[in-house]
Amino acid sequence: MSFHDEEPQTRGFDPAIARRLLGYLRPCTKQLVLAIVLVLSASAISLVGPLITRMAVDDYIMVGNMRGLDLIMLAWLLVLGTNWFISYWRIYTMSWIGQRVVHSIRRDLFEHLMRLSFDYYDKVPVGKTITRFTSDVDRLNELLTSGIVNVVSESLMLIGIMVIMMRLDLRLALLCFAVLPVLGYLVTGFRSKITRSERDERTKVSEMNAYLQENISGVRVVQAFCREDENLRRFDKVSRAVYDAAMRVIYLFSFFWPCVDLTSVIGTVAVLWYGGLQVANGSLSFGTLIAFIAYVGQFFGPIRNLSQVYRVLQRAMAGGERIFRLLDTEVSIKERPDAVELPRIKGDVVFDNVYFAYEGDNYVIRGFDLDVKAGETIALVGHTGAGKTSIINLLSRMYDVNEGRILIDGHDVRDVTLSSLRKQVAIVLQEPFLFAGSIKENLRYGKPDASDSEIESVCKRLGIDDFIRRFPLGYDTEVEERGSKLSSGQRQLVSFARALLADPAILILDEATASIDTYTERLIQAALRELLKGRTSFVIAHRLSTIREADRIVVVENGTIVEQGTHDQLIKARGQYYHLYTMQYARELNVGAS
Amino acid sequence: MRVLARLFKAYAKHQWHLYVVTLFLIGVEVVLNVYLPQLSRAIVDTVVESTSDLSFVRSYLFSQSLLYLVWGLIRSVVVFVEIYLFEKTAETVSLKIRRDLYDHVQRLDFSFHNKARTGDLMSRVTSDVQAMRELAGFGIVQLVYCLLMILLVVGWMVYCNPSYALACLMSMPLLLVAAVRYSARSGPVFRAIQDQIASMTAKVQESVSGIRVVKAFAQEDHERAQFGKENDGILAKNLQAAKINAFYHPAMDFLASLGGVGVIWYGGRLYMSGALTAGDITAFLSYLWMLIWPVRSMGWVIGMFQRGIAGSQRVFEVLDERRRISDSRGSTPLQRITGRVHFDDVTFSYDSGEKVLDHFTLEIEPGETIGVLGMTGSGKSTVGALIPRFYDADSGTILVDGVDVRNAELKSLRSHVGIVPQDTFLFSASIRENIAYHDPNMDLERVIEAAKAAQIHDFVETLPQRYETVVGERGIGLSGGQRQRVAIARAIATDPKILILDDSTASVDAETESAIQESLREIAKGRTTIIISQKVSSVRYADRIVVLKDGRIVELGTHEELMARDGFYSRLHAAQTGSDLSSIEASGEGMVV
């Protein structure tokens, strides 16, 4: 959960965003028309209420027409019943439209996310992406379900009330309208003051939440360094700031409501006083007076809602802009329109004068040439930042080369469909990532139709069948997100099995054994050797002992190959590899020390 | 009920005078409300039944209107003070609960935090406290207001005209039932929507965090399908809620209006027969409108109480969590120590599960460097965690300079121990603040000294704002090695007599490791140093090395002594340096996964 909510920037109406939003409404045109009709009828009915009262009072009660009273009351009941029916469908249809649209937007967002390439994920933190799905989408929903329709219906309501009042009695109506500017100021000017201080309160709250989040996750450090007292003092400060901000909002609010109240009291008093005089001298009917008082009471609702509309619109525009910006983020790795399925490959790989930069002309790979025969095991060796990981990212086309090309079995990786390519190239990463679900589901990830016996045989070959079976639920053990039951080494082993189950022609191990302890690594070494057979594989590792067994060792520096050959050849050559190896060896064996 | 009592006893009791004032004001407001229709009734009656004397009507109208205005003014002031007071009370209550909760959580034992999840604790400090705040403020006030209003208005109406009152109030019980049922039915659905949204968010989080795996296996369609399910779930649940809203809201409107129909219809008939005046009808109409809001809001007042009670329970659950590790009555502060540590027959298990340390005995001399070597699950980290008393041993004692750690004042004990934890947690603060974490007033020279010793000073100097550069979640990102060295600087900044490094070099590459080790030799001088690792290279220089397996010491000695033996240590050494690939496989040992 992200506790840092981005506040919407103040921005007005943006026709481009509105047009795109309307695009989402197009499939619901029929429902939208229905909704508008329903909303208009509901408003009309609520306008009619006081008129019926007036008619009942003036035309029947005052003149003693009992039958007429019965009839008009029955008619009123009928109107109320109809209103119930109309309101049901109005509320339901409006929610239906809003939820449909939001549903499609979320679907499109996710669709697009799945297509986006790594350059997006490298730049945008996860929390930001999630906000698009939650609060930004909510803001659009707010506009759709209440905003748009409110503008229409509330404006009509307000105009309707004013017209009716003026037709009933022009002078009394004008007297009532005198309170409108005050009411208008309260709900717009004063209200925006409240909105501002509410925003300030939210900022303070999210600061406090961020403080809490950090100090609860780091509680072990807090205790180890005896910082409890100091931290409590600091928490008091941020917590107090929340209190102060909240009190400011409260102060304004406790002022706001009585003011609104008082304004409508003034309006009512004006009607009573002036209208009363007219009733007394016979120039106004009693029923009209009652209707007037009812209408004064109805002023407030539409004005308040209309004052909200601008804010709702603003928020929705800001949310919409962020959503559409994400939807417009270009997918940099695209399949060609004429991309073909990559047939079952043998695993010949050619890097042909490859240049690559993550950004601008900051090349991390420069003129990389490598010819790998099917079934060969290649170890990539070099310092951190030499470009080893970039090379393998290019192979499964997580990024595209800037210059040169990469061929697999003679096919340029850019000419084939992404899924047919990636399904034949499996990667095991340094940080094993497992999904929420059972071990079995995770193992099946790359090959959803793998049978249980297939899964077990792979696990047996890797020697991990034992540890999985030791869990009470065995292969059905849930892999929890964090409080995980698996150690990081065990997670890595599961990710190994996952990769092997996919039976790829090309296997990439990117620092894959870093989190497995030496014992386990030794244990699976034999199994790995077996499984690497018949596959082209690329291995990146810091530990040189892991690397020695490769068919060919490629030493990378500054994005280019400085040396290659077998372990023995390179040691004999006394070049870069020899240097690295002896340094590492010295460190590991502590040769020459003490 | 007991929860409510506790909530008020603990957090609202000392504000009882504020509650009394607020409740008094509510009473005043209710009385004012009930008075108003009497005023308008008099006006209407004078106007409608006006006899010829227009000048009397004029002056009467004027004075009554003035009275009405004064009424409005008084009511506004009362409502203003009332809202301000109860909100202030509520805000103060939540301020206190927040403080207690945070302070308790930050002092709870490691064993509590091992089980608790940050997200869950966060939701208790935020949304549960919010629910309690609402209950203690608006909830109580609204309940009292509604009950008083209903009681007084209904009572007054019945008193004025029982049969007329009955006709007008007929639909009110139904309205009450509808309001309560609405809140009972919509509550679970809204919670279900929240859960579904949380579940959708979790799915997005997972797919985005694991995007490398998703793409590597070309499983975008699989993810899409899973997300689609979550997304459909939100739609379905929202439509379910829409149905409930669409039924109940208009239904409540209908029932409320029904009362109005009764007032006019039955009232009109009575008027015609001369049993009522026009003023009576308007008064009853006002009373009825007054009742609708209190009756309708009873539904969500009940919901508010339910949420408040549930929130209180969850908050009290944490507050009732006992601290097992705290100062005992006879604990004494540890003054200067030499740094002698003695584990005497210590047995320990987490939550009485499997034994992690099994009759572990070890005497560490002041200034000695001890390497603790073992594989995952061997109990090596526990050795480090027991000295600063993050946990208490099940049996046996741990003595620091001859004092049982359980008898030493916790704060003084921990301030003698510097620890570099396995996963280096840095705070979103400047590097200076992170290094000076133990003592925020530490002067910069000392910070720099520590940074130099941890070999991070040169790097810090290259940063634009040097020691004031903010790191952590909201600052610049540091590499694993850099974080590690900042953590080491933090641990030695207060010059602790005992230094514990828990697998500190596990996640750094070989180059960084050797750099760190270089600096360690300097740092370890004059301190008892405990280096915990699974790598031979990390513990190699220790004065003595303890090899742990299943919580027991299997080997103990210097590097040379252990190498001379054909034991676990020498075989591990061979395996890790790769000098003999076959030894481990041949020995068949170490089936530790």
Side-chain angles (χ1 to χ4, degrees):
Chain A
M1 198 195 300
S2 163
F3 288 98
H4 299 276
D5 198 15
E6 300 154 77
E7 287 298 329
Q9 318 98 306
T10 10
R11 55 178 302 121
F13 182 75
D14 186 336
I17 293 172
R19 221 171 300 130
R20 288 183 76 169
L21 266 178
L22 284 178
Y24 278 100
L25 282 170
R26 200 158 301 135
C28 325
T29 312
K30 249 191 282 171
Q31 285 80 3
L32 199 63
V33 171
L34 177 68
I36 290 172
V37 170
L38 290 171
V39 166
L40 292 182
S41 356
S43 310
I45 288 176
S46 55
L47 278 180
V48 165
L51 285 180
I52 293 183
T53 318
R54 170 174 172 264
M55 206 195 280
V57 171
D58 284 352
D59 298 353
Y60 305 106
I61 296 176
M62 287 308 186
V63 297
N65 183 345
M66 210 174 274
R67 236 192 105 59
L69 178 65
D70 290 349
L71 279 177
I72 195 162
M73 285 296 116
L74 278 176
W76 192 4
L77 277 180
L78 205 69
V79 169
L80 289 176
T82 316
N83 191 31
W84 183 352
F85 180 77
I86 289 176
S87 298
Y88 179 90
W89 287 107
R90 172 180 59 98
I91 295 174
Y92 186 74
T93 314
M94 297 289 303
S95 312
W96 190 89
I97 295 169
Q99 291 301 331
R100 278 282 144 165
V101 170
V102 162
H103 180 264
S104 331
I105 291 177
R106 272 197 295 255
R107 189 197 54 218
D108 287 357
L109 276 172
F110 195 83
E111 288 275 325
H112 195 67
L113 267 188
M114 286 297 106
R115 272 199 301 270
L116 278 175
S117 328
F118 281 175
D119 48 355
Y120 169 80
Y121 292 102
D122 291 342
K123 270 179 273 175
V124 184
V126 184
K128 283 241 166 84
T129 305
I130 286 170
T131 316
R132 300 298 95 86
F133 283 82
T134 51
S135 57
D136 286 342
V137 161
D138 283 343
R139 284 169 182 169
L140 288 185
N141 190 22
E142 196 180 27
L143 177 68
L144 290 168
T145 39
S146 60
I148 295 177
V149 180
N150 268 347
V151 182
V152 182
S153 71
E154 302 291 1
S155 323
L156 285 177
M157 268 289 267
L158 205 60
I159 294 169
I161 292 174
M162 289 169 81
V163 167
I164 292 176
M165 284 171 84
M166 287 195 290
R167 299 232 12 209
L168 287 176
D169 189 305
L170 188 62
R171 269 193 289 178
L172 195 53
L174 291 177
L175 187 67
C176 288
F177 297 162
V179 302
L180 277 181
V182 183
L183 211 55
Y185 164 74
L186 282 175
V187 293
T188 53
F190 198 78
R191 192 57 233 215
S192 72
K193 209 181 261 180
I194 295 183
T195 310
R196 266 198 305 278
S197 49
E198 276 176 328
R199 189 176 306 169
D200 178 52
E201 185 192 357
R202 272 202 303 279
T203 314
K204 292 284 189 300
V205 166
S206 67
E207 273 167 22
M208 177 180 79
N209 288 342
Y211 182 89
L212 279 169
Q213 172 95 35
E214 183 173 74
N215 286 283
I216 292 176
S217 4
V219 69
R220 289 173 179 77
V221 180
V222 172
Q223 293 192 7
F225 287 89
C226 308
R227 271 278 293 239
E228 294 94 332
D229 295 338
E230 172 67 22
N231 283 5
L232 182 60
R233 254 195 302 284
R234 292 188 181 200
F235 177 73
D236 278 343
K237 234 193 206 154
V238 287
S239 180
R240 189 80 204 180
V242 170
Y243 174 86
D244 290 339
M247 284 314 294
R248 168 101 189 124
V249 174
I250 286 164
Y251 177 74
L252 290 173
F253 249 116
S254 51
F255 207 72
F256 176 71
W257 284 114
C259 278
V260 170
D261 217 41
L262 193 61
T263 313
S264 65
V265 165
I266 291 171
T268 313
V269 168
V271 170
L272 264 180
W273 173 67
Y274 186 74
L277 273 179
Q278 285 187 307
V279 171
N281 67 29
S283 59
L284 189 77
S285 75
F286 177 51
T288 310
L289 184 67
I290 292 183
F292 254 92
I293 294 174
Y295 282 127
V296 171
Q298 283 191 8
F299 265 154
F300 179 66
I303 292 183
R304 185 193 51 195
N305 287 334
L306 279 175
S307 78
Q308 305 273 14
V309 162
Y310 185 66
R311 201 171 59 94
V312 170
L313 192 72
Q314 241 179 17
R315 286 157 54 94
M317 286 294 147
E321 195 204 72
R322 287 194 289 261
I323 285 173
F324 292 132
R325 205 191 302 140
L326 171 55
L327 286 176
D328 290 344
T329 307
E330 220 188 309
V331 179
S332 50
I333 308 293
K334 273 186 281 216
E335 279 178 9
R336 293 207 172 148
D338 56 345
V340 292
E341 285 278 306
L342 181 64
R344 179 74 205 168
I345 53 172
K346 291 191 312 204
D348 288 325
V349 178
V350 176
F351 288 86
D352 181 10
N353 194 28
V354 170
Y355 281 82
F356 172 66
Y358 286 99
E359 232 166 329
D361 51 1
N362 206 349
Y363 286 101
V364 288
I365 302 295
R366 313 153 205 250
F368 190 88
D369 275 309
L370 185 65
D371 206 329
V372 182
K373 275 188 279 306
E376 220 182 339
T377 299
I378 302 287
L380 293 169
V381 176
H383 292 282
T384 312
K388 295 168 299 196
T389 301
S390 304
I391 290 166
I392 58 161
N393 277 339
L394 292 172
L395 181 59
S396 52
R397 215 185 154 210
M398 296 302 183
Y399 300 90
D400 266 342
V401 299
N402 295 48
E403 264 176 67
R405 57 194 185 139
I406 296 166
L407 304 173
I408 295 181
D409 278 19
H411 299 272
D412 189 315
V413 290
R414 286 167 297 187
D415 292 339
V416 298
T417 61
L418 281 172
S419 71
S420 68
L421 167 69
R422 290 178 183 161
K423 277 188 175 150
Q424 300 192 57
V425 182
I427 303 186
V428 181
L429 299 160
Q430 181 172 12
E431 293 284 326
F433 187 92
L434 300 185
F435 294 86
S438 66
I439 293 181
K440 196 190 280 173
E441 280 163 358
N442 269 291
L443 290 170
R444 266 202 192 113
Y445 195 75
K447 193 186 182 192
D449 56 345
S451 70
D452 286 3
S453 60
E454 230 177 306
I455 291 175
E456 277 169 40
S457 88
V458 165
C459 289
K460 275 186 187 136
R461 276 158 78 194
L462 268 179
I464 64 172
D465 180 64
D466 277 354
F467 101 74
I468 294 174
R469 280 185 192 283
R470 238 177 282 154
F471 290 112
L473 291 174
Y475 283 86
D476 293 318
T477 304
E478 290 289 318
V479 180
E480 287 139 44
E481 225 185 313
R482 262 212 198 129
S484 160
K485 286 185 184 141
L486 307 187
S487 72
S488 66
Q490 289 172 333
R491 296 163 80 85
Q492 189 59 281
L493 291 171
V494 170
S495 82
F496 258 112
R498 174 173 70 185
L500 291 169
L501 199 62
D503 193 23
I506 300 174
L507 182 65
I508 298 169
L509 308 178
D510 186 359
E511 294 278 0
T513 51
S515 57
I516 298 182
D517 65 42
T518 322
Y519 268 2
T520 318
E521 191 184 343
R522 289 288 140 196
L523 271 175
I524 62 168
Q525 202 81 39
L528 264 181
R529 225 174 284 146
E530 178 70 23
L531 288 158
L532 290 178
K533 234 181 237 166
R535 288 177 224 283
T536 310
S537 45
F538 294 83
V539 179
I540 301 179
H542 274 300
R543 225 176 275 166
L544 291 177
S545 58
T546 328
I547 290 163
R548 293 204 310 200
E549 293 170 57
D551 295 324
R552 191 156 28 129
I553 295 166
V554 173
V555 184
V556 185
E557 224 179 275
N558 290 325
T560 190
I561 299 176
V562 290
E563 235 183 345
Q564 56 177 306
T566 63
H567 175 73
D568 293 338
Q569 286 167 347
L570 291 177
I571 290 291
K572 266 193 209 119
R574 304 234 155 195
Q576 192 67 24
Y577 180 76
Y578 175 79
H579 178 66
L580 272 170
Y581 184 77
T582 45
M583 246 183 69
Q584 178 91 357
Y585 196 66
R587 212 170 278 137
E588 286 177 359
L589 276 184
N590 306 298
V591 167
S594 70
Chain B
M1 263 304 132
R2 202 178 299 156
V3 177
L4 269 183
R6 181 167 170 192
L7 170 62
F8 282 96
K9 219 168 166 180
Y11 294 105
K13 205 171 148 197
H14 66 282
Q15 303 198 76
W16 62 271
H17 49 281
L18 281 181
Y19 275 106
V20 169
V21 175
T22 311
L23 293 181
F24 172 73
L25 289 175
I26 292 173
V28 174
E29 191 199 340
V30 169
V31 170
L32 282 172
N33 284 345
V34 175
Y35 170 68
L36 180 70
Q38 297 302 318
L39 189 66
S40 51
R41 167 205 273 178
I43 296 175
V44 167
D45 279 347
T46 320
V47 168
V48 174
E49 325 287 328
S50 73
T51 44
S52 50
D53 192 0
L54 252 176
S55 66
F56 165 73
V57 173
R58 192 169 292 151
S59 68
Y60 182 75
L61 257 182
F62 185 74
S63 63
Q64 292 300 299
S65 298
L66 214 61
L67 196 60
Y68 198 151
L69 263 185
V70 171
W71 173 89
L73 218 61
I74 295 175
R75 205 179 89 104
S76 292
V77 172
V78 168
V79 172
F80 167 74
V81 178
E82 184 191 310
I83 296 181
Y84 185 78
L85 281 186
F86 79 72
E87 289 285 8
K88 186 184 162 74
T89 318
E91 205 55 52
T92 314
V93 166
S94 81
L95 185 73
K96 286 189 165 181
I97 300 176
R98 250 182 352 231
R99 182 179 205 270
D100 282 3
L101 197 55
Y102 171 69
D103 198 33
H104 193 67
V105 165
Q106 73 160 346
R107 288 175 205 273
L108 275 173
D109 305 335
F110 276 35
S111 45
F112 170 82
H113 286 288
N114 289 345
K115 277 178 288 176
R117 277 182 318 213
T118 308
D120 179 53
L121 289 176
M122 280 299 293
S123 94
R124 292 187 202 222
V125 189
T126 54
S127 47
D128 287 338
V129 170
Q130 176 68 15
M132 291 168 87
R133 174 202 186 285
E134 242 146 51
L135 169 61
F138 197 62
I140 292 287
V141 167
Q142 196 61 26
L143 182 71
V144 174
Y145 174 79
C146 292
L147 289 179
L148 267 182
M149 274 298 278
I150 294 171
L151 228 67
L152 222 67
V153 171
V154 170
W156 184 251
M157 282 170 90
V158 172
Y159 172 76
C160 287
N161 192 330
S163 67
Y164 188 28
L166 215 65
C168 301
L169 293 171
M170 230 149 45
S171 66
M172 287 298 128
L174 282 176
L175 182 59
L176 186 65
V177 170
V180 172
R181 282 206 51 173
Y182 171 67
S183 116
R185 283 200 57 192
S186 61
V189 177
F190 287 132
R191 270 193 296 281
I193 292 176
Q194 288 309 313
D195 290 348
Q196 186 64 38
I197 288 176
S199 157
M200 183 269 299
T201 313
K203 183 65 222 164
V204 177
Q205 167 113 37
E206 185 182 66
S207 302
V208 172
S209 318
I211 191 73
R212 281 175 182 278
V213 180
V214 174
K215 297 233 168 205
F217 287 97
Q219 287 298 323
E220 289 93 337
D221 286 336
H222 173 76
E223 295 299 309
R224 229 169 255 155
Q226 286 201 331
F227 175 80
K229 253 187 253 158
E230 301 286 350
N231 198 15
D232 292 347
I234 295 183
L235 178 65
K237 295 222 163 67
N238 266 303
L239 289 182
Q240 205 182 332
K243 265 190 195 147
I244 294 175
N245 281 334
F247 177 78
Y248 278 99
H249 282 297
M252 288 191 278
D253 286 342
F254 177 79
L255 289 172
S257 311
L258 217 53
V261 174
V263 172
I264 304 276
W265 199 344
Y266 191 62
R269 286 172 154 263
L270 287 177
Y271 177 82
M272 284 181 242
S273 66
L276 277 182
T277 65
D280 289 335
I281 299 182
T282 42
F284 263 62
L285 205 55
S286 322
Y287 282 130
L288 200 82
W289 292 128
M290 255 177 220
L291 265 185
I292 288 166
W293 162 244
V295 172
R296 280 186 79 153
S297 60
M298 278 312 279
W300 54 264
V301 169
I302 292 172
M304 205 180 267
F305 266 75
Q306 283 167 341
R307 278 193 302 280
I309 288 172
S312 308
Q313 273 162 346
R314 282 161 50 84
V315 165
F316 289 140
E317 191 182 50
V318 176
L319 285 176
D320 289 342
E321 197 71 43
R322 229 165 47 84
R323 263 179 85 192
R324 272 174 292 183
I325 293 173
S326 57
D327 287 328
S328 61
R329 204 169 303 146
S331 63
T332 50
L334 275 183
Q335 305 291 357
R336 284 172 170 281
I337 61 164
T338 58
R340 182 189 304 277
V341 179
H342 184 193
F343 285 84
D344 184 13
D345 196 29
V346 171
T347 295
F348 176 77
S349 60
Y350 292 97
D351 291 317
S352 33
E354 240 172 283
K355 277 181 194 165
V356 182
L357 283 184
D358 194 0
H359 298 284
F360 178 80
T361 298
L362 180 68
E363 185 125 22
I364 306 170
E365 297 297 320
E368 195 182 21
T369 298
I370 286 277
V372 181
L373 184 85
M375 291 296 120
T376 314
S378 60
K380 60 184 189 308
S381 290
T382 310
V383 174
L386 288 177
I387 300 172
R389 216 182 152 209
F390 293 144
Y391 305 93
D392 273 341
D394 297 343
S395 69
T397 44
I398 295 134
L399 305 155
V400 170
D401 269 28
V403 179
D404 187 332
V405 289
R406 281 168 299 194
N407 295 331
E409 189 200 50
L410 207 53
K411 198 171 171 172
S412 68
L413 169 70
R414 288 182 182 171
S415 63
H416 285 304
V417 182
I419 195 158
V420 182
Q422 207 163 353
D423 35 22
T424 38
F425 185 94
L426 298 185
F427 291 88
S428 299
S430 69
I431 292 181
R432 184 184 56 75
E433 285 169 288
N434 266 297
I435 294 177
Y437 194 67
H438 187 87
D439 171 18
N441 302 318
M442 191 181 290
D443 49 32
L444 187 61
E445 271 160 54
R446 237 171 119 191
V447 170
I448 293 176
E449 212 176 290
K452 276 184 180 157
Q455 300 211 338
I456 188 74
H457 175 73
D458 291 344
F459 167 74
V460 175
E461 285 294 310
T462 66
L463 296 172
Q465 280 146 311
R466 293 167 190 220
Y467 281 90
E468 298 306 323
T469 310
V470 174
V471 295
E473 217 175 305
R474 275 168 291 156
I476 64 158
L478 298 181
S479 75
Q482 289 158 349
R483 295 161 63 86
Q484 200 66 256
R485 276 178 274 183
V486 173
I488 292 175
R490 174 173 69 187
I492 58 176
T494 49
D495 197 18
K497 272 294 173 196
I498 301 170
L499 181 65
I500 300 167
L501 297 124
D502 188 0
D503 234 346
S504 324
T505 53
S507 60
V508 299
D509 61 40
E511 274 168 79
T512 317
E513 188 192 338
S514 76
I516 291 176
Q517 248 159 32
E518 223 31 66
S519 52
L520 269 187
R521 251 180 282 180
E522 269 312 301
I523 292 165
K525 269 182 198 152
R527 306 176 210 282
T528 307
T529 308
I530 297 165
I531 301 172
I532 297 160
S533 181
Q534 54 171 292
K535 283 195 270 186
V536 169
S537 55
S538 305
V539 296
R540 191 214 170 290
Y541 293 109
D543 298 325
R544 276 188 301 162
I545 297 156
V546 176
V547 181
L548 271 182
K549 212 182 149 196
D550 299 331
R552 289 167 172 276
I553 297 179
V554 289
E555 281 171 59
L556 175 64
T558 65
H559 175 74
E560 286 70 24
E561 286 167 9
L562 296 181
M563 283 303 284
R565 234 177 282 167
D566 180 28
F568 188 99
Y569 186 83
S570 67
R571 279 204 300 277
L572 191 64
H573 179 262
Q576 286 179 348
T577 52
S579 61
D580 184 1
L581 290 173
S582 58
S583 68
I584 296 279
E585 285 153 40
S587 77
E589 203 185 326
M591 294 299 208
V592 225
V593 177

